[in-house]
Amino acid sequence: MNVLITGAGGFIGQALAAALVAEDKAASVILTDVIEPSAPDSAKEVVRCVKADLTSQDVRDSLLTKHLTHVFLLHGIMSGAAEADLELGIKVNVDATRQILDTLRRVNAGVRVIFTSTTAVYGPPPTPGSLLTEADAPAPGSSYGAQKLISEVLVRPGKPTGAASSFASGIFREPLNGEKSILPVSKKLSVWICSPRTVVKNLMHARDLPAEVYGGGSRVVNLPGISVSIHEMLAALKAIGGQEAVDLVEEKRDPATERIVESWPAKYDTARAQKLGFTKDGKLENTLKQYLEDYHD
């Protein structure tokens, strides 16, 4: 197994690399990001870390070889940054992704590509609390959502049928590390989230699914997660970290961030994912306990 993971500097990329190597000790894994990512401690011997600007054809040619068996595309200019700099968002989220696919088509046609998109492709739900499925027509309400939707269409075979959301992990991560965190949205707001362990399991499951299971139709799958309000997230933080952790969360509403996050649906029908064997997510408190086990020294 020869794997390339782009945007691998984040904790999902790191956890995915560690899981791939744990599964296959003979695996060869390349991690890339705009800043050279670190190799997980458990995988240093077989992981190569590369500082890479994926908008450069020379860089793409050096990374995208015929030897790759799997490519996980995790890179991107995230929501808030993509809104602030439209040109950069298009360059990285659309152009670089298209050029990666073009290069792979030339040198390694048929390689398995796993592309992570975003809930932002759907745009605001038809009515508050609507349950969305893969059959709902995407109607992104942000340039970031539009850029990721374009890439979704590019990645799909055949006919197509700096992140604003960073606070969602930040209000857990920083307080549990004894650091302050900013909450830029209303506590009444609900979001769709998933634990890192479940995300990694499902990315690896997507890697292994044969094309036939999709029945010749769309390969877009809404992965399992849970819908929670910010108020519920803070309650879980208190249950695991105590009131002292909650006290480190400073409410500082930011209209721009709130506007972006409010345009994302917070509930999804994941029946298709479950039918395909993807793992359901667990309770929020369990996610926080897992975080402490996996990332807290």
Side-chain angles (χ1 to χ4, degrees), residues 175 187 234-239 241-250:
K187 291 181 181 178
L234 292 174
L237 176 62
K238 182 177 181 179
Q243 184 61 44
E244 59 269 28
V246 177
D247 290 341
L248 290 171
V249 179
E250 178 185 352

Side-chain angles (χ1 to χ4, degrees), residues 175 217 229 233:
S229 68
M233 293 170 72

